[in-house]
Amino acid sequence: MKFLTGLLAAVLLFAGMGASRAVVRIADDRGGRIGTYVDRYQDLRQSGETVIIDGLCASACTIVLGAIPRDRICVTSHATLGFHAAWDFGSNGRAVTNPEATQMLYAMYPSHVRRWISQRGGLTPHMIFLRGRQLQAMYKPCYMDVQAAPSRPSRRALPQADELESARGQLLH
C-alpha cells in the first residue's frame, strides 16, 4: 500500500511539474521584419521558455533557431520551416534581394541549419522548406501533453502542401 501511495504521489508531482513549464508555441507564422523577430526572440531567450514549433514558421520566424538554444526547441510532426533570402522594396516597388541582410540572416542560423541551406543552393528569393524527417533529425520531438501558449493567436488550420508551395515569393521578409 505504501508503494502505491508513493507511486501515486510521484505521478502527481511529475504531472504538476510538466504543466507548470512555460512554453511558447509557434504555428502559422509567415514572418515579417527581421528586427522585430530579433527583438522578440531575444526576450524569449532571456525568459527561459521552451519553444514548440507546431506548424509553419517561415521567413524571419526561422531566426528562432539561432536565438533560442537547441535544447529549448522542439518540433511536432506538423512543423515546417521556410527559408529564403532577405529583401527590400526596390525603387519600382518590387522586392529586391538584400545581400547584406541575407548574409546577416544566414549567420544567425546554427551550423547544422546553415549546412542544410547550403546543400540546397543557399538563401535565394525562392522559399525552401525544412520539414518531416529531416527537421525531426535536427530537433527533438515535442510531447504535446505540455500546455503551450501560441506566440501569435491563430485559429486557422495548418497550411496544406499546395498552400506552402504557393507561398513561394510571397513570404519574402
Side-chain angles (χ1 to χ4, degrees):
M1 187 63 160
K2 286 184 181 183
F3 174 76
L4 288 176
T5 304
L7 183 60
L8 180 60
V11 168
L12 291 174
L13 176 65
F14 286 122
M17 286 174 57
S20 67
R21 280 189 292 202
V23 297
V24 172
R25 181 177 162 267
I26 296 175
D28 197 28
D29 190 328
R30 298 178 182 269
R33 299 199 110 348
I34 291 173
T36 302
Y37 281 82
V38 168
D39 293 343
R40 178 182 302 165
Y41 293 146
Q42 182 177 22
D43 293 343
L44 184 57
R45 180 184 182 95
Q46 292 172 353
S47 77
E49 292 177 308
T50 296
V51 174
I52 295 174
I53 302 175
D54 182 33
L56 180 64
C57 174
S59 196
C61 176
T62 61
I63 293 170
V64 71
L65 303 176
I68 305 300
R70 191 174 185 178
D71 66 341
R72 287 185 21 218
I73 297 174
C74 69
V75 296
T76 72
S77 60
H78 302 288
T80 299
L81 301 173
F83 303 89
H84 64 82
W87 62 274
D88 290 318
F89 285 109
S91 59
N92 61 359
R94 297 185 59 112
V96 176
T97 299
N98 180 326
E100 295 81 20
T102 299
Q103 184 57 40
M104 180 185 73
L105 179 64
Y106 183 78
M108 289 183 202
Y109 296 130
S111 61
H112 64 281
V113 174
R114 288 194 312 263
R115 190 170 31 259
W116 182 89
I117 291 169
S118 291
Q119 291 169 350
R120 280 144 192 86
L123 295 175
T124 71
H126 301 285
M127 187 75 67
I128 56 173
F129 295 98
L130 173 58
R131 58 181 155 220
R133 289 187 189 139
Q134 289 181 322
L135 178 57
Q136 291 171 349
M138 292 183 192
Y139 289 91
K140 66 185 176 186
C142 297
Y143 299 102
M144 292 309 294
D145 57 343
V146 177
Q147 296 294 319
S151 63
R152 284 181 154 174
S154 175
R155 301 234 183 262
R156 289 187 47 195
L158 294 175
Q160 299 300 310
D162 58 331
E163 290 179 296
L164 291 174
E165 295 305 321
S166 71
R168 289 178 188 253
Q170 296 177 11
L171 300 176
L172 302 176
H173 284 274

